[in-house]
Amino acid sequence: MTSSMASSSLSPATQLGSSRSAMLAMSRVMFVKPTRTNHQMVRKEKIGLRIACQATSIPAENVPDMEKRKTLNLLLVGALSLPTGFMLVPYATFFAPPGSGGGGGGTLAKDALGNDVVAAEWLKTHGPGDRTLTQGLKGDPTYLVVENDKTLATYGINAVCTHLGCVVPWNKAENKFLCPCHGSQYNAQGRVVRGPAPLSLALAHADIDDGGKVLFVPWVETDFRTGDAPWWS
């Protein structure tokens, strides 16, 4: 009777709390995540292994042999080389222009417009003592020299300064080549007379071919201005 009275004497709040605890315990039981069994894991591993084996197994007749692969590679390289070669031809001809002139390795002189220099026509417009730039060997700027007797000199003077490569202009008033970059000076024949340039201007033979055109030919003999071997050869 005492216990029944004690249970009946519980407050409504206490009874409500007990009911909530019981319901929470039941919900935890319902939402417990099931764990994988060893049997399920082993089965999935076998399936994955079987799939991997099927993916890597290729019939031998479907694999090309080495000779076929070499042939395909050669065909591929040839197909790529042809258009590439045609694309490189213009660049090669630009950087290495074909030489023109006689069989002795000469190059026809070109005027400022790119025309061949004809000796007779040149002398009509260039008087004694004239030194005018033309295009010479390897495309270098080269002076054609008119002698005092109104004939072309048998040599041309390369206009590239031997100090740092500036183009040296002719100064008629001082009768010298004066470099505007660092003050080097050369006489009327291109011999260095003042530094910092260490060497005289290079020479080239200025010949006249059968058609009357000026032909520059490499100078390989002794430098007549210094008596030394040509440093540019």
Side-chain angles (χ1 to χ4, degrees), residues 66-88:
M66 186 59 66
E67 293 300 326
K68 290 182 179 179
R69 291 161 68 178
K70 287 182 179 179
T71 304
L72 291 175
N73 289 336
L74 290 175
L75 291 175
L76 179 60
V77 171
L80 293 176
S81 300
L82 287 176
T84 304
F86 284 117
M87 291 173 62
L88 292 177

Side-chain angles (χ1 to χ4, degrees), residues 3-230:
S3 59
S4 62
M5 289 178 63
S7 60
S8 61
S9 63
L10 293 175
S11 63
T14 303
Q15 294 179 358
L16 180 59
S18 300
S19 300
R20 288 181 177 178
S21 299
M23 294 177 64
L24 180 59
M26 293 178 62
S27 64
R28 288 180 179 176
V29 173
M30 294 176 63
F31 287 96
V32 170
K33 186 177 181 180
T35 58
R36 296 181 178 180
T37 63
N38 292 334
H39 176 72
Q40 291 175 338
M41 294 177 67
V42 171
R43 182 181 179 185
K44 288 188 175 182
E45 289 178 358
K46 290 183 177 180
I47 294 175
L49 181 61
R50 185 169 60 253
I51 293 175
C53 293
Q54 291 177 353
T56 56
S57 59
I58 301 175
E61 61 271 11
N62 293 339
V63 179
D65 58 17
M66 186 59 66
E67 293 300 326
K68 290 182 179 179
R69 291 161 68 178
K70 287 182 179 179
T71 304
L72 291 175
N73 289 336
L74 290 175
L75 291 175
L76 179 60
V77 171
L80 293 176
S81 300
L82 287 176
T84 304
F86 284 117
M87 291 173 62
L88 292 177
V89 167
Y91 293 95
T93 55
F94 176 79
F95 288 106
S100 58
T107 300
L108 289 174
K110 304 285 185 181
D111 61 16
L113 299 178
N115 300 317
D116 295 339
V117 175
V118 179
E121 298 297 325
W122 185 268
L123 292 173
K124 290 180 182 180
T125 56
H126 298 80
D130 180 79
R131 283 152 175 78
T132 300
L133 281 175
T134 60
Q135 180 178 309
L137 297 172
K138 300 179 181 179
D140 286 348
T142 304
Y143 284 101
L144 269 183
V145 178
V146 180
E147 301 284 17
N148 292 331
D149 60 356
K150 297 183 180 181
T151 60
L152 281 177
T154 58
Y155 61 91
I157 302 173
N158 192 306
V160 178
C161 182
T162 58
H163 179 220
L164 291 178
C166 298
V167 175
V168 183
W170 168 247
N171 189 305
K172 186 177 181 179
E174 296 194 26
N175 200 37
K176 293 178 182 178
F177 294 99
L178 304 179
C179 182
C181 296
H182 301 95
S184 297
Q185 298 183 11
Y186 306 85
N187 68 8
Q189 293 179 331
R191 179 175 180 176
V192 62
V193 294
R194 176 180 172 181
L199 300 166
S200 299
L201 298 175
L203 295 175
H205 288 287
D207 299 335
I208 299 176
D209 67 5
D210 296 337
K213 296 180 180 180
V214 177
L215 183 71
F216 286 122
V217 179
W219 188 293
V220 296
E221 298 82 16
T222 301
D223 185 346
F224 68 90
R225 303 165 300 180
T226 63
D228 299 328

